[in-house]
Every structure is written in C-alpha cells, then in structure tokens.
Amino acid sequence: MTLPDIGAVQLPQALDVIRAEVREFLQAERTAGRFVPHCDAWLSAADPAFSRRLGEQGWLGMTFPPEYGGTGAGALARFVVTEELLAAGAPVAGHWIADRQSGPSILRFGTEEQKQSYLPGIARGETWFAIGMSEPDSGSDLASVRTRATRAEGGWRVSGTKVWTSGAHHAHAMIALVRTDALDPTRRHAGLSQFIIDLDVPGIQITPIRLLSGAHHFNEVVLDDVFVPDGRVLGEIGDGWRQVTSELAWERSGPERFLSTYPLLAAAVDRLANAADSSASASVGTLVARIWTLRQMSISVASRLDAGQSPDIEAALVKDLGTLFEGTLTDAVRMLVRTEPDTESTDGLTRLLAESILQMPGFTLRGGTNEILRGVVARGLGVR
C-alpha cells in the first residue's frame, strides 16, 4: 500500500500581495453594499456584475495563458484568490464552474478554435459553464451514463437527461458526458465522450430542481435531438472517461470543499468574542485547527495540479474530509450560539446558520458522494 502524497507546501510569499489586494477589493464591495456574505456562496449566489468585476481585476482565468485571456498566474495564485472569496461569502456561483474546471478542461483537451471561443469569455467573467455528468437513477455512477449521441452529417445528435446540474439556468454552455458507442458491460467506461453544448440551441429544456427551502441551484437539463457540430467535441471520441476523471481533481480538492460554511464561523467568533467562555474557545480552536489542516492538504493538491500531475486520491481525501467538516462546523456553531435559525433574519449569524443547515445535506453528495470517494481512495491504495 502506497500512502498518498499530501506533504506540506508553503505558498510563495509573493502571493501575499494578491491576497491583500483581494481583501481590499472585497472590503470595498461590502462597504458599497454590493453583496452580503452567504454560506455556500460558490453554489448559491450568482451575480453577473460581480463576476465581471473579478474578471477586470484579472482574478478569473488565472490558470490560462495570456493568449487566451488569462494571466498565467497559476493554480496557487488562484487558490489565494478563491479562498479569500469563499471566506468572505462573495457571490461567485455564476463563474465558479467555468473558472474551476470547464476552462482548464478546454485548455487541456480542446482545439485551438474552442480555446479562442470560450476561454477569453471565462476570464472576463462573462461566459459561464455547467457540468453535464449526473443522470436520473445513476447516483454517482458516471459509467452508467445513458445520454446517447448518434452520428449525423457534420456532427452528432444528442438525446438524454442530465440532473443536479448546478447553475444551468445561468450558464451559457455545458460540458456533457455522453455515450457515443453502445454500452459494453465488460468495459463500462469505454464508449464515452465529452461534448461542449451551448445551452441556447434548439432542443434543450432546463427545469429547476428546487431544494426543500425552495431555493433554485440545481436543474434538470433535457436534451432532445440536440445537434452538436464536430467542432464541439472536446478531446477524442471514446476518451471521455479518462478526460472527465482527470477534471475531477479540480472539482474535489479546492477550498470550496471546506470553506462553504466559513462565513458562519466568522460570524460566530464575532458573537462569542466577549463571552469569556473557555469551552466555546476550545470548540472554536478545534474548528480552526481542522480548517488549517484541510487548507494545507488543499494547497498541496493545488501545487501538484500546477505541476501538471493528477492527484486524484489526494483530491478525494480533501473532498471527503472537508465536506464532513463543513457539517461539523454547522453543528458546533448551532450548539455554541443561542439563536433560532432564520433565512429572513436581519441578524447575520442567524441567517448564516439557517443557510448552513439547509445546505448541509448536499455537502457530502455533490462532486461524488463520500462513499464513492472512499472507494477511489481504497483502489488507489491497492486495498480494494
């Protein structure tokens, strides 16, 4: 058994300058009343104008080279920017998926025309993407994809249904995993391909899947004989499984996997600061120590992604431990403060606690359930 490599990585001191600039920018945004902090903001809070302002600052597309509209600053610089945005509870949901994984996937597997068509818009905060992986009755088993693509003149005809498609009602395009060859039960991962599908073409219906709270983040996307030209095939036909699993490290390892509820912790610390309660101090100290550990793990994965590696096992560990922690943090704050959760409250702590409780069931599900991730880790360690 080979243990995963999650050795400590020190962020370059030069990135302190970027961190200070982002904090100054966010303080100015809050002072101007342009946003209020939310928990799980990377999934639930979209603001086109805010995304454009980030693009103007050069804080989107930081992993893209300048010829495609990015800054080439790299994954560690992006890590610094994103953890500050998450800690502030800023409205980043609109561009999040495009900047985190759709853009890097196009950069890695796309044609020159695809890169020129999509990456500059992502870097400006104007082109948003959704992920078309999950399907009805499939759970986290991506190999059971039933959305079919059949050959047509100049392209493909795609029919099927994608579900739990975060932000599709805002997005301009979706990278969909589809079956381009008949299912072979002995090779379930074969015959899959990835297509870039613009979401304004005929044959697409997007329907909300509302949470119990009534909030709308998830969608069902029905594709009814949608024509996808050959120029929108991402990578190689039949290579979809390898491609899609390579992007999962981006999806699973970032600071959004342990900072979704950080605004709640910050508000609780402000409330408890003058309480002189030693047990509360100990609880907060434990939470902060766990955040620090998860952060070091996440930075380590970011550094390996920056080096062109595929740290799939390490990313799965970050997601598993991080999303469990987000729920633990919510429960801990609920026990520490005497307030009734209320999404409509004008009190920040009360509202953030309600948001965290309502979002909590999804923490360990999205991006692959934690049970699936433990299977990934076990296979990677050679014990399954």
Side-chain angles (χ1 to χ4, degrees), residues 274-289:
N274 299 316
D277 182 339
S278 59
S279 63
S281 298
S283 296
V284 170
T286 300
L287 294 171
V288 172

Side-chain angles (χ1 to χ4, degrees), residues 262-273 333 337 348-350 352:
Y262 184 85
L264 172 64
L265 177 61
V269 169
D270 288 342
R271 177 71 60 85
L272 296 165
V333 171
V337 298
L349 175 60
T350 301
L352 290 166

Side-chain angles (χ1 to χ4, degrees), residues 42 100-101 131 133-135 138-142 163-164 166 218 241 244 247-249 251-253 257 315-324 326 361-377 379:
W42 68 274
R100 179 186 69 185
Q101 69 190 87
I131 302 170
M133 292 188 194
S134 299
E135 298 198 356
S138 292
S140 294
D141 181 14
L142 287 181
V163 292
W164 311 117
S166 304
F218 298 117
W241 182 259
V244 81
E247 77 180 69
L248 289 177
E251 182 177 354
R252 292 170 171 168
S253 65
R257 298 305 181 184
L317 282 169
V318 172
K319 200 270 183 183
D320 183 11
L321 298 175
T323 54
L324 287 173
E326 290 176 318
F363 292 159
T364 59
L365 297 177
R366 57 202 188 197
T369 68
N370 285 24
E371 289 76 13
I372 291 289
L373 296 177
R374 290 164 195 169
V376 170
V377 174
R379 278 193 297 273

Side-chain angles (χ1 to χ4, degrees), residues 342-358:
D342 181 359
T343 57
E344 302 300 323
S345 176
T346 57
D347 175 67
L349 175 60
T350 301
R351 176 178 53 78
L352 290 166
L353 180 58
E355 290 176 357
S356 296
I357 292 171
L358 290 170

Side-chain angles (χ1 to χ4, degrees), residues 42 51 60-64 78 92-107 118-131 166-167 170-175 247 250 256:
W42 68 274
S51 294
L60 298 179
M62 298 181 78
T63 59
F64 308 165
R78 180 182 179 274
V92 295
H95 65 262
W96 193 263
I97 291 169
D99 183 59
R100 179 186 69 185
Q101 69 190 87
S102 307
S105 288
I106 293 171
L107 186 63
Y118 292 104
L119 298 185
I122 293 174
R124 291 194 301 269
E126 297 173 351
T127 301
W128 299 354
F129 270 72
I131 302 170
S166 304
H170 297 306
H172 305 92
M174 172 176 75
I175 296 180
E247 77 180 69
W250 293 97
E256 69 269 33

Side-chain angles (χ1 to χ4, degrees), residues 3 14 16 37 57-58 61 63 80-81 157 159 176 204 227 236-237 246 256-257 278 297 310 326-327 364:
L3 292 175
D16 291 346
Q57 296 289 332
T63 59
V80 168
V81 172
R157 292 281 177 185
S159 293
I204 295 179
F227 179 71
E236 300 294 328
I237 289 293
S246 72
E256 69 269 33
R257 298 305 181 184
S278 59
M297 294 171 65
S310 299
E326 290 176 318
T364 59

Side-chain angles (χ1 to χ4, degrees), residues 134-215:
S134 299
E135 298 198 356
D137 306 318
S138 292
S140 294
D141 181 14
L142 287 181
S144 66
V145 161
R146 290 179 294 183
T147 295
R148 290 296 309 272
T150 56
R151 205 70 178 96
E153 184 175 354
W156 299 78
R157 292 281 177 185
V158 180
S159 293
T161 301
K162 298 293 180 179
V163 292
W164 311 117
T165 314
S166 304
H169 55 305
H170 297 306
H172 305 92
M174 172 176 75
I175 296 180
L177 183 68
V178 305
R179 188 162 289 287
T180 45
D181 278 319
L183 175 64
D184 178 352
T186 64
R187 300 171 60 245
R188 298 175 68 240
H189 298 158
L192 296 169
S193 304
Q194 284 187 298
F195 291 171
I196 303 172
I197 301 177
D198 294 330
L199 292 175
D200 60 353
V201 300
I204 295 179
Q205 182 176 356
I206 300 173
T207 306
I209 301 175
R210 295 193 180 277
L211 306 182
L212 287 175
S213 63

